[in-house]
């Protein structure tokens, strides 16, 4: 028993792990909540685009010697808003426009990256991310940004829900649907920058989409979707970080894989899609047969 | 439709022109999507208390007309007034129900959640629905006969139940103007009667209902007025004018037959290719409807 406790508490002796866990939990909370909207609005592709678009922002910030965060945030939020604008203007097929923007921005990042003289290790770190290397200062920034995002989303959740479910009905009845959409995408940009630190540009979309997708398999109410997605993300973050500590593997990848396994389990065992459901359904027929069968057998018994 | 009414063109007041307020006024409105024109030069006044059916073939611009009234589409030109103010000014007194195909039925919300949304714009930011909101939601659910399915996920409803839920959402908002896109399409006869009863009751309290429909008999029998639309406003008139052969032909662009059989009146839209088959049928041209 005390061994088990030690297994859980030992890693906490390290400052890296303390900060990493805290950051992981905060990122998971925001991603769970924002991810619910991403999944409901079908914005997964946009999430991917915005995270890749943050890259040139990071490189430019690096080249200018300003905080990387700032560069990443500006690029991500600007891209998110540009996408919202393109989608409102229409004309071009939406996913085409997003694809073009996203590839172009990432290419710009790579191009700028190759102009950097010498080694830029911390920049490369942003591609895969490592929440264990987060500094105390970054942790504070991350916590503040995350709290702002969460506070706004929770304050406007009714309105965001209505505008997401039925934009026409919401707008006709006086909700500022266009502004809510810009706000949501702007917040998505901030969320992505916050999360990049934990799991890196490449995996950030999984952080947003997977817990919410898992939750969607398990519940059918929006309010429960938000809380379950956040809970799943937090649990995955903690488990992933312990795994990364003991197995000495990359933290971001470990977190995302735990989330993916949880999704697989929900798929297999969930109330609607799962095997259990199917077994239960298919058992209905044999049950009925065996019951009526037993009557016949009983009749034969002298 | 008399010569005098024709001469007035599309500016046909639906009721006696002096009575009461105007719920919706379109003044030479032209609107479309991107570069494609959908409706041109629509001039229309809908008095408060109207129960107006908008009819026309697929792609005629019925949904477009509803959307432009709801402020969801900006007109290219022309002016719109709803409930006495410019578009958007009185939005909280308007309920819009989209065509069913536009709704994501997999969305994780229950019947009760959807109906409560009708209250959201009136509750205000950061506030939860209060006792009065809950009471209005319950009352709306009871009115459409859905109170026992309040916890059901909306995807697990039949087509008719879905229409009932959206009408309940509109009712819960206590609007003065209902803009409904095909509220009774794909529902059984009983549901259609129920929903039309509810809408008619609303207009009796001075509220205005404007709804699109493909069911010409329903338009004739259950609505008070009708607007014929096909890329423009062909005409407006009392519900009985649905049976005006010439207007129907002008609106639907084909041969329209009105058959009087033992089962009652049938309006048949006959496209030009088949008009030989139908020629054997007896034709009745109704001036006043039923
Ligand atoms: N979002 C859109 N983008 C581009 N064109 C559109 C859009 N919606 C409608 N249209 C076009 O505008 C015209 C009018 O469409 P509208 O939806 O108003 O027709 P409708 O009368 O409601 O048809 P239905 O009976 O099929 O519902 C059609 O030609 C249609 O193709
Ligand atoms: Mg339509």
């Amino acid at each position: 028993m005390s061994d088990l406790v030690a297994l859980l508490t030992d890693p906490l002796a390290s400052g890296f792990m303390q900060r990493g866990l805290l950051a992981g939990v905060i990122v998971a909370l925001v991603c769970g909540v924002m991810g619910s909207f991403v999944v409901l609005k079908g914005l997964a592709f946009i999430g991917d685009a915005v995270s890749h678009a943050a890259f040139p922002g990071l490189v430019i910030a690096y080249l200018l010697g300003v905080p990387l965060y700032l560069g990443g945030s500006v690029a991500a939020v600007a891209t998110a808003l540009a996408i919202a604008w393109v989608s409102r203007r229409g004309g071009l097929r939406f996913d085409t426009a997003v694809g073009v923007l996203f590839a172009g921005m990432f290419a710009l990042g790579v191009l700028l990256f190759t102009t950097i003289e010498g080694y830029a290790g911390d920049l490369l770190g942003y591609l895969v991310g490592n929440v264990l290397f987060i500094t105390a200062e970054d942790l504070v920034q991350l916590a503040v940004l995350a709290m702002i995002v969460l506070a706004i989303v929770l304050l406007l959740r009714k309105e965001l829900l209505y505008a997401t479910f039925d934009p026409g009905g919401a707008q006709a009845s006086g909700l500022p649907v266009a502004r809510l959409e810009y706000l949501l995408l702007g917040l998505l940009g901030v969320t992505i920058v916050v999360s990049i630190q934990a799991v890196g540009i490449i995996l950030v979309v999984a952080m947003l989409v997977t817990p919410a997708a898992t939750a969607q398999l398990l519940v059918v109410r929006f309010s429960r979707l938000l809380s379950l997605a956040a809970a799943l993300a937090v649990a995955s973050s903690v488990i992933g970080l312990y795994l990364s500590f003991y197995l000495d593997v990359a933290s971001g990848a470990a977190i995302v894989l735990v989330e993916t396994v949880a999704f697989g389990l929900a798929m297999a065992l969930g109330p609607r899609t799962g095997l259990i459901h199917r077994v239960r359904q298919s058992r209905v027929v044999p049950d009925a047969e065996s019951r009526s069968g037993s009557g016949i057998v009983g009749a034969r018994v002298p | 439709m008399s010569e005098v009414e024709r001469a007035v063109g599309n500016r046909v007041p639906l009721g006696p022109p002096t009575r009461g307020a105007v719920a919706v006024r379109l003044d030479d409105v032209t609107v479309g999507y991107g570069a494609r024109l959908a409706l041109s030069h629509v001039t229309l006044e809908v008095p408060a208390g109207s129960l107006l059916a908008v009819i026309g073939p697929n792609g005629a611009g019925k949904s477009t007309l509803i959307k432009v009234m709801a402020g969801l589409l900006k007109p290219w030109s022309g002016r719109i007034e709803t409930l006495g103010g410019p578009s958007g000014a009185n939005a909280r007194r308007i309920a819009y129900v989209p065509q069913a195909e536009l709704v994501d039925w997999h969305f994780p919300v229950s019947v009760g959640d959807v109906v409560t949304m009708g209250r959201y714009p009136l509750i205000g930011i950061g506030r939860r629905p209060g006792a009065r909101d809950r009471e209005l939601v319950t009352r709306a659910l009871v009115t459409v006969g859905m109170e026992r399915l309040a916890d059901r996920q909306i995807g697990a409803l039949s087509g008719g139940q879905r229409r009932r839920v959206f009408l309940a959402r509109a009712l819960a908002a206590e609007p003065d103007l209902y803009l409904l896109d095909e509220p009774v399409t794909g529902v059984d006869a009983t549901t259609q009667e129920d929903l039309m009863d509810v809408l008619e009751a609303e207009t009796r309290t001075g509220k205005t209902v404007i709804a699109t429909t493909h069911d010409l008999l329903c338009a004739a029998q259950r609505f008070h007025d009708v607007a014929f639309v096909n890329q423009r406003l062909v005409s407006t008139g009392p519900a009985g004018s649905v049976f005006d052969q010439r207007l129907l032909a002008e609106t639907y662009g084909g041969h329209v037959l009105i058959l009087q059989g033992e089962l009652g009146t049938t309006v048949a839209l006959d496209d030009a290719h088949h008009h030989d088959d139908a020629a054997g049928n007896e034709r009745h041209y109704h001036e006043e409807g039923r």
Side-chain angles (χ1 to χ4, degrees), chain B residues 62-64 99 181-182 212 214:
Chain B
K62 301 182 296 298
S63 299
T64 306
Q99 213 167 314
D181 206 348
E182 303 198 12
T212 65
H214 283 291

Side-chain angles (χ1 to χ4, degrees), chain A residues 2 21 40 50 84 96-98 100 174 184 192 227 247 253 264 277 285 297:
Chain A
S2 65
L21 268 175
L40 290 177
V50 171
T96 311
V98 173
V100 170
L184 192 68
I192 284 169
S227 45
L247 305 178
H277 175 70
V285 179
V297 172

Side-chain angles (χ1 to χ4, degrees), chain A:
Chain A
M1 184 61 202
S2 65
D3 279 358
L4 192 65
V5 173
L7 211 61
L8 292 177
T9 53
D10 277 357
L12 295 177
S14 110
F16 286 116
M17 193 66 179
Q18 286 170 8
R19 285 192 296 275
L21 268 175
L22 202 55
V25 166
I26 295 171
V27 165
L29 268 178
V30 195
C31 281
V33 171
M34 285 302 292
S36 301
F37 286 101
V38 167
V39 168
L40 290 177
K41 272 184 89 87
L43 297 177
F45 186 51
I46 293 182
D48 214 15
V50 171
S51 59
H52 281 76
F55 190 54
L58 294 169
V59 179
I60 290 170
Y62 184 88
L63 289 171
L64 295 178
V66 298
L68 295 184
Y69 245 108
L70 196 67
S73 302
V74 170
V77 174
T79 307
L81 295 180
I83 289 173
W85 185 75
V86 168
S87 88
R88 292 230 141 239
R89 294 298 298 251
L92 206 55
R93 248 191 80 115
F94 183 49
D95 53 356
T96 311
V98 173
V100 170
L101 213 60
F102 145 34
M105 287 292 272
F106 195 67
L108 177 67
V110 172
L111 192 116
L112 290 171
F113 184 72
T114 53
T115 66
I116 297 173
E117 284 166 21
Y119 181 65
D122 27 339
L123 262 184
L124 272 184
Y126 276 94
L127 284 181
V128 288
N130 194 340
V131 74
L132 294 177
F133 292 157
I134 196 167
T135 64
E137 199 181 319
D138 282 349
L139 183 58
V140 172
Q141 281 177 355
L142 183 149
V144 169
L145 285 176
M147 290 311 128
I148 293 174
V149 171
L150 277 179
I152 296 177
V153 170
L154 293 182
L155 191 70
L156 293 174
R157 56 190 274 212
K158 282 202 314 302
E159 288 75 14
L160 287 169
L161 171 66
Y162 194 3
T164 303
F165 173 61
D166 179 9
Q171 190 186 332
S173 302
L175 290 186
V177 170
R179 267 182 280 158
L180 286 169
E181 190 162 285
Y182 281 116
L183 179 75
L184 192 68
L185 280 165
L187 293 176
L188 183 61
V190 176
T191 304
I192 284 169
V193 173
V194 163
S195 317
I196 282 175
Q197 186 102 29
V199 289
I201 286 170
I202 297 166
L203 293 179
V204 98
V205 70
M207 197 78 188
L208 273 171
V209 171
T210 312
T214 310
Q216 215 181 7
L217 290 176
L218 300 175
V219 294
V220 293
R221 293 293 290 274
F222 175 75
S223 49
R224 281 176 226 156
L225 179 72
L226 283 189
S227 45
L228 183 61
L232 282 168
V234 168
S236 305
S237 244
V238 172
I239 295 171
L241 280 171
Y242 273 98
L243 285 179
S244 126
F245 181 87
Y246 281 111
L247 305 178
D248 196 20
V249 292
S251 60
I255 294 172
V256 168
L257 275 179
V258 172
E259 287 175 343
T260 311
V261 168
F263 177 81
L265 286 176
M267 202 64 188
L269 307 175
R272 276 169 296 148
T273 52
L275 285 174
I276 289 181
H277 175 70
R278 254 179 257 143
V279 171
R280 214 188 277 149
Q281 291 252 304
S282 60
R283 218 192 276 141
V284 172
V285 179
D287 267 6
E289 274 171 7
S290 67
R291 230 174 281 127
S292 64
S294 73
I296 296 167
V297 172
R300 273 187 197 154
V301 174

Side-chain angles (χ1 to χ4, degrees), chain B residues 11 34 48 50 114 134-135 173 208 215 239 271 276:
Chain B
R11 198 186 288 272
S50 296
V114 171
R134 283 195 295 275
E135 188 200 311
T208 308
D215 185 339
D271 71 44
D276 278 348

